[in-house]
Amino acid sequence: MSDWPKVRLHVVTGKGGTGKSTVAAALALALATSGKNVLLCEVEGRQGIARMFDVDPLPYEERRIAKGAPDRDGRAGQVHALHIDPESALLEYLAMYYKLGRAGKALDRFGVIDFATTIAPGVRDVLLTGKVYEAVQRPRRSDKGRKGAAITYDAVVLDAPPTGRIGQFLGVNSELAGLAKVGPIKSQADKVMELLRSPRTAVHLVTILEEMPVQETSDGIAELRDAGLPVGGVVVNLVRPRALSTHALALVRDDEVDPTGIASDLKRAKVDVDAALVASLIDEARDHAVRRQLEDDQRVLVNAEDVPVYELPRLAAGIDRGALIDLALLLREQGMA
């Protein structure tokens, strides 16, 4: 944790259904404190950022969408967002390196760009990560306040593809091995890999306390380490509240609770409760206790990965901007930002 202030790129991945996009958004809000600028990027084309922040669909340009979670003095930075799609990224790439300009747009009309990014997924990923690389590497200019000047960010958060594809997505060099051995796109891939493997990057994995997501998280950590990519932390999301004490959970799980005795005690206390209702409630408590035991078993496996672990609760009211701020504050309190 001591070297995390150096991190400027936070990559967030996780199995589908674990809430990785929610965690990425909360992390961006947590990082945007005390006047800091944070860029939140998405690359999967789902416009999830726009839905979570209740804004119009994001274009292929950086747009301010929110203030960050306030610090102790009430100061908050800015969160900008960027929706990166491979077609727009390729058009920008062609204009930058090959000066195609309008010719590039003509290729788009003929479907050449869609064809190229489909048959060569390695090229597609280089284009997506290349745009993130540009935002991370953007130098601090004396004219950043000038109208039209690019914004300099203190951190970039990437809502990345799921763990099943994260190694391929971040391993842009290996994906390009048979496609481009020289030239601008190979040079860009080399620069991206240098950033991704540096202490300036941390790849965080999001899971829930279920067997398959935890196993996929473990596999993802191993794959990242094998590829020389820096693992940040694991965020255990959607944690259920502990409604019963450890002792009570053990009693009900081991069938050491007598529904008849409880019903009699309630009657003596002049509480009119049907014995069948008491038995039904005990059955629900037993299901809860079994579920908690399974979750505790999975938590042990997560903790065994020897990386920082953070927990976020399941929010009954769902996710909106206020909920994201609450989650951001929890991440800050646990030391993730």
Side-chain angles (χ1 to χ4, degrees), residues 213-225:
V214 168
Q215 182 60 55
E216 189 163 312
T217 297
S218 178
D219 294 342
I221 290 174
E223 182 180 12
L224 291 169
R225 286 173 171 164

Side-chain angles (χ1 to χ4, degrees), residues 235-247:
V235 179
V236 179
N237 195 27
L238 303 175
V239 176
R240 291 174 172 81
R242 186 177 289 274
L244 298 173
S245 68
T246 301
H247 178 65

Side-chain angles (χ1 to χ4, degrees), residues 123-137:
V123 172
R124 177 183 183 276
D125 291 342
V126 170
L127 294 168
L128 296 173
T129 54
K131 185 64 178 177
V132 176
Y133 169 86
E134 186 274 329
V136 174
Q137 297 290 95

